[in-house]
């Protein structure tokens, strides 16, 4: 697919996309802990929390690749308002749900909406950024997610109260408010995608790049796994830190502040990512941050004071800020040019697979070994991601190394007297 971009002055499209993503992600980040608290008020245990958290990713698990195929051969922008509608509807209906089954179903709708928005938005960034700008633009794009993750948990903690048995009512109110927050993102969704000339032509299904070929491209599997590990860590932190807080006697407002502190550190990381890449290089930065994040995730299992937990979460948030934007760039640059949206969708499929498997595994582990045990599992996952980052970096360096030319054969002198 060849797309000729029209020239549009400035980068206002990226700023408006970041603002829209901040509100959409803010709604989801406010709703996720609110769903956990509301489920607890309805009698859910750790295993039920794990199932509800996993259902959030179940529908997207099957929808990601078809949506990516559609985006590769069409426009990206229509997915954004569809995603906002599904996010807002899932949040509002979760607040009205009176059973754990209904909450799980509407949580799945919320997850599908988030997937639609993210596939459309990431594809716009990949399509409208030059290769040299992709690290920077993806880093700035993910600042929108971090802003939402910063504001959402604080707002949820402020609204939710467990005094006098009010958690059922206040958690439902938080979900209704999160639906309104999602709707605000409509304000920034105008003219985000550049018009192409000529109009993008839909490719014949027979010409679509096979999924196996995309996954076989060097760098794509490693980028998918690193993204899965980092997102699983962020997701389980959001869903299970409230459970840890309940067991350790930490108030919901404090848990919200701790989650927002992690998100603020992630924003700080992405603001300084370009100079860090210049100093350390992609491989060292990715491997080091995954290694530190794994150790810190395991450390959350320790019964440390709230102040120490805050320091750990701040450093953890800074380390987790690297993996997502760099894995996006890795996948986009490694995939065939005509299948970049599908490759990003496969990356999101990996993310959602992690969001299904990791919370379900976390729920089982928590039910057997206690609420802090899932963080040890996350530590092991991030350590594996660090190893893949080092291995992938060595492979890229080997490919980038100039080939040594073979010695030219020595030519025999020509005998001019020979006929």
């Amino acid at each position: 697919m060849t797309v000729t971009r029209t020239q549009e002055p400035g980068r206002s499209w990226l700023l408006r996309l970041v603002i829209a993503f901040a509100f959409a992600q803010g709604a989801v980040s406010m709703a996720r802990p609110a769903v956990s608290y509301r489920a607890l008020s309805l009698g859910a245990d750790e295993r039920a929390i794990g199932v509800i958290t996993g259902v959030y990713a179940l529908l997207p698990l099957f929808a990601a690749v078809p949506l990516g195929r559609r985006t590769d051969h069409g426009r990206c922008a229509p997915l954004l308002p569809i995603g906002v509608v599904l996010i807002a509807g899932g949040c509002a209906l979760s607040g009205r749900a009176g059973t754990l089954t209904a909450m799980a179903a509407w949580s799945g709708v919320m997850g599908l909406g988030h997937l639609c928005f993210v596939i459309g938005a990431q594809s716009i960034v990949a399509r409208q950024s030059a290769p040299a700008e992709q690290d920077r633009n993806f880093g700035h794009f993910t600042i929108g997610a971090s802003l939402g993750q910063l504001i959402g948990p604080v707002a949820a903690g402020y609204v939710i109260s467990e005094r006098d048995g009010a958690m059922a009512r206040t958690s439902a109110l938080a979900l209704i408010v999160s639906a309104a927050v999602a709707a605000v993102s409509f304000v920034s969704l105008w003219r985000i995608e550049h018009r192409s000339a000529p109009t993008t032509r839909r490719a014949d299904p027979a010409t679509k790049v096979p999924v196996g070929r995309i996954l076989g491209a060097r760098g794509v599997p490693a980028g998918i796994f690193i993204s899965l590990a980092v997102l699983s860590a962020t997701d389980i932190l959001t869903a299970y830190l409230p459970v840890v807080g309940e067991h350790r006697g930490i108030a919901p407002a404090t848990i919200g502040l701790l989650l927002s502190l992690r998100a603020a550190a992630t924003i700080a990381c992405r603001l300084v990512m370009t100079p860090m890449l210049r100093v350390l290089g992609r491989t060292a930065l990715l491997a080091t941050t995954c290694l530190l994040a794994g150790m810190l995730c395991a450390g959350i299992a320790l019964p440390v004071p709230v102040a120490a937990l805050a320091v750990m979460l701040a450093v953890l948030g800074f380390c987790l800020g690297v993996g997502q934007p760099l894995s996006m760039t890795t996948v986009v640059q490694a995939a065939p040019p005509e299948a970049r949206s599908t490759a990003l969708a496969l990356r999101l499929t990996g993310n959602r697979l992690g969001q299904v498997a990791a919370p379900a595994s976390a729920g089982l582990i928590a039910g057997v070994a206690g609420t802090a045990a899932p963080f040890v599992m996350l530590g092991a996952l991030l350590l594996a991601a660090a190893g893949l980052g080092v291995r992938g970096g060595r492979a890229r360096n080997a490919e980038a190394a100039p080939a040594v030319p073979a010695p030219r054969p020595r030519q025999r002198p020509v005998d001019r007297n020979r006929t």
Side-chain angles (χ1 to χ4, degrees):
M1 176 183 65
T2 303
V3 177
T4 304
R5 293 185 288 127
T6 59
Q7 297 297 322
E8 182 174 306
R11 292 164 56 216
S12 63
W13 65 270
L14 182 58
L15 176 60
R16 285 183 277 112
L17 188 60
V18 169
I19 293 171
F21 193 24
F23 280 105
Q25 184 66 53
V28 172
S29 298
M30 184 177 182
R32 299 302 298 285
V35 164
S36 296
Y37 280 119
R38 181 157 177 78
L40 289 170
S41 72
L42 294 176
D45 58 10
E46 289 87 352
R47 296 180 184 180
I49 295 291
V51 171
I52 292 172
T53 305
V55 171
Y56 170 84
L58 190 60
L59 285 176
L61 188 61
F62 301 103
V65 172
L67 288 172
R69 293 286 195 197
R70 178 217 167 275
T71 307
D72 268 324
H73 306 289
R75 295 185 60 215
C76 310
L79 285 178
L80 304 184
I82 293 172
V84 172
V85 169
L86 292 174
I87 290 171
C91 291
L93 292 169
S94 294
R96 297 292 302 274
T99 65
L100 296 178
T101 302
M103 287 198 66
W106 295 124
S107 181
V109 172
M110 187 197 316
L112 182 61
H114 187 259
L115 176 82
C116 289
F117 190 99
V118 172
I119 285 181
Q122 288 183 5
S123 299
I124 288 173
V125 176
R127 188 173 294 180
Q128 298 182 176
S129 302
E133 298 174 341
Q134 285 176 348
D135 275 331
R136 181 195 65 192
N137 286 357
F138 275 123
H140 290 171
F141 166 71
T142 52
I143 288 175
S146 300
L147 286 171
Q149 292 166 357
L150 171 65
I151 298 169
V154 170
Y158 179 79
V159 174
I160 298 170
S161 173
E162 58 183 344
R163 295 178 182 176
D164 302 324
M167 187 181 291
R169 177 177 55 83
T170 55
S171 59
L173 176 61
L175 287 164
I176 299 298
V177 172
S178 65
V181 172
V184 176
S185 61
F186 277 116
V187 176
S188 297
L189 293 181
W190 50 276
R191 293 185 62 195
I192 281 182
E193 186 174 17
H194 295 171
R195 293 289 181 177
S196 58
T199 303
T200 303
R201 178 176 57 85
R202 291 182 181 273
D204 185 79
T207 66
K208 293 179 180 178
V209 180
V211 170
R213 180 185 162 195
I214 299 171
L215 291 176
R218 185 181 295 273
V220 171
I224 290 174
F225 185 84
I226 291 169
S227 178
L228 181 154
V230 171
L231 187 67
S232 295
T234 304
D235 203 56
I236 290 180
L237 275 173
T238 303
Y240 268 84
L241 206 59
V243 182
V244 171
E246 281 289 295
H247 282 262
R248 297 185 186 177
I250 304 174
T254 304
I255 292 294
L257 287 172
L258 289 173
L259 289 172
S260 295
L261 178 63
R262 183 212 58 83
T266 299
I267 294 173
C269 168
R270 288 166 181 169
L271 288 173
V272 298
M273 186 174 296
T274 300
M276 286 194 301
L277 282 168
R278 195 160 43 240
V279 172
L280 296 176
R282 177 188 294 267
T283 302
L285 181 60
L286 196 55
T288 301
T289 52
C290 285
L291 178 64
L292 288 175
M295 296 170 63
L296 289 166
C297 273
I300 294 175
L302 303 174
V304 296
V306 174
L309 188 60
V311 174
M312 292 170 65
L313 286 170
V315 180
L316 177 60
F318 190 91
C319 293
L320 292 177
V322 171
Q324 291 288 57
L326 292 192
S327 68
M328 291 178 200
T329 306
T330 299
V331 169
V332 165
Q333 294 182 353
E338 66 274 20
R340 286 174 175 170
S341 292
T342 305
L344 287 169
L346 287 169
R347 174 185 167 276
L348 290 171
T349 301
N351 287 351
R352 295 307 187 255
L353 181 61
Q355 286 181 302
V356 171
S361 303
L364 291 174
I365 293 172
V368 174
T371 56
F375 297 103
V376 177
M377 178 193 74
L378 285 179
L381 197 64
L382 287 164
L383 290 177
L388 274 179
V390 172
R391 183 178 177 183
R394 288 175 178 171
R396 284 192 300 270
N397 292 338
E399 287 185 349
V404 178
R408 297 178 60 184
R410 189 177 292 178
Q411 294 183 352
R412 297 178 62 184
V414 178
D415 188 355
R416 297 183 181 275
N417 297 323
R418 185 175 179 182
T419 58

